Amino acid sequence: MSFRVLGTGRCLPERAVTNAELERFVDTSDEWIRQRVGVAERRVCTTETAADLAAGAAEAALQMSGVAARELDFILCATITPDDLSPSLACMVQSRIGASCPAMDVSAACSGFVYALETAAAFFARGRVKKVLVIGAERLSRIVDWSDRNTCIIFGDGAGAMVLEEGDNYLASKLTARGCDAVLKIPAFGGASPFWEGGVEKPYIRMNGQETFKFAVGAMVSDLEEVIAAAGLEPEDIAWVIAHQANARIIDAAARKLGIPFGRFAKNIDRYGNTSAASIPILADELCRDGHLKDGDYIALTSFGGGLTSAACVLRWGP
Ligand code: COA
């Protein structure tokens, strides 16, 4: 027993920040960002908190699913930018939507949403839960160095969610981790004690773009090949690949190697940038609400990010 997806939801901050606006902060151009990353604008919180976004996405997913918050047996929230380290973002969502079940955050950077799906699958397999809410939510604008053109052009804020119910539609999955802080790192917030003899790093995203790029393409290709085969499918059986939206060129480079038609790689990075753990459920919700996901479709999710981590899975859509 694993699960099936009952419904999806998303919630984005109101404020869209265009590339032209970033030209005021850093030495960049709209043309460069569109060509090298594929982003035209991203959403950035002005008054919204991560809990506002996460709860908004959760409520939309519950409404689509016809599930009441009190029916939930577990809430998992994938995030690296909770408003507070404690309470967890998942606990704040629990209180905001009126649920009473256990709740916890999952930290696996941009791979977090698929890591959280796998965690949910383990609870379903044990027979401990009937309905689970899985959220990916980020307020990355808090941890972006807005004077660093290498990173501030890429990231955005947002949240997406799925409501899962017992079922057999989680067909195959793969998680990886390779501990490494040299390529992608976000130091934790915090000061130093009077006894600490080391330095204190600023809590901003630091990234070696080219190394991240290479890791991302390699991970997407090998993870997808493996999960599609493990699901007993061929690449052409996949109706949609919902890939983490980090850079349009990463998705195109992986698509070229995989033999899945380009048109089946969904993208919304042009409008939202990279929203880390939120990017897959936001895109899934857009595809679902626009009527692109049909019952019986095989959907592949694939993600990669800090850790370094990667995660992919194959789902059958519908009942
Ligand atoms: N605006 C304008 N020019 C820029 C720029 C910017 N924001 N950033 C870099 N450049 C310039 C560089 O200075 C360099 O100029 P030069 O050729 O005169 O030396 C040129 O553009 C190319 O720089 P490079 O660093 O090679 O760019 P790139 O093509 O690798 O793109 C990233 C940089 C960060 C967009 C890209 O490497 C990337 O997206 N990597 C993956 C990041 C990612 O996915 N992170 C999240 C993981 S979850």
Side-chain angles (χ1 to χ4, degrees), residues 45-117:
C45 291
T46 51
T47 56
E48 304 91 342
T49 62
D52 291 334
L53 301 178
E59 275 163 356
L62 286 168
Q63 192 174 32
M64 183 192 285
S65 310
V67 170
R70 64 177 183 285
E71 293 177 66
L72 292 171
D73 301 309
F74 213 97
I75 299 173
L76 291 161
C77 190
T79 185
I80 49 169
T81 47
D83 296 314
D84 303 295
L85 286 178
S86 181
S88 67
L89 191 49
C91 281
M92 294 318 291
V93 171
Q94 186 243 37
S95 131
R96 295 276 287 269
I97 65 175
S100 54
C101 58
M104 69 177 189
D105 287 355
V106 173
S107 173
C110 305
S111 308
F113 189 78
V114 182
Y115 262 71
L117 289 182

Side-chain angles (χ1 to χ4, degrees), residues 17 46 57 108 186 188 197 199 293:
V17 174
T46 51
I186 308 163
E197 293 178 13
L293 305 181

